[in-house]
Amino acid sequence: MGDKDQVQGEGNYDASREFQREQHEFAKTGPVGEKAREAEEALDGPDAEELERARRETGEGKTHS
């Protein structure tokens, strides 16, 4: 396994594991608190209505292009 050209069925398991590893690393060492504050400020700012609409649409399975 690990060969990038290898067929892996439905999904790329190697890429999935790498993505998850990177997420965990960011959560442990990244600027999580800073990004959380930025998100909170955005929700209280002028874009709040548009962000809420996008959140609802995403929950309904709609996507933006």
Side-chain angles (χ1 to χ4, degrees):
M1 277 202 179
D3 180 3
K4 293 189 186 296
D5 295 327
Q6 180 181 2
V7 175
Q8 297 189 37
E10 293 190 29
N12 185 324
Y13 302 117
D14 294 333
S16 178
R17 282 189 290 272
E18 177 65 14
F19 179 74
Q20 186 174 28
R21 185 195 64 72
E22 290 174 357
Q23 284 184 315
H24 290 177
E25 185 65 24
F26 177 80
K28 290 178 185 175
T29 63
V32 176
E34 176 185 340
K35 294 299 180 184
R37 279 189 296 282
E38 289 175 11
E40 184 178 14
E41 289 171 4
L43 292 173
D44 291 335
D47 295 328
E49 185 176 327
E50 184 177 346
L51 290 169
E52 176 58 22
R53 180 182 52 77
R55 184 195 64 78
R56 280 193 315 272
E57 288 178 359
T58 300
E60 294 169 358
K62 299 177 184 175
T63 59
H64 292 91
S65 39

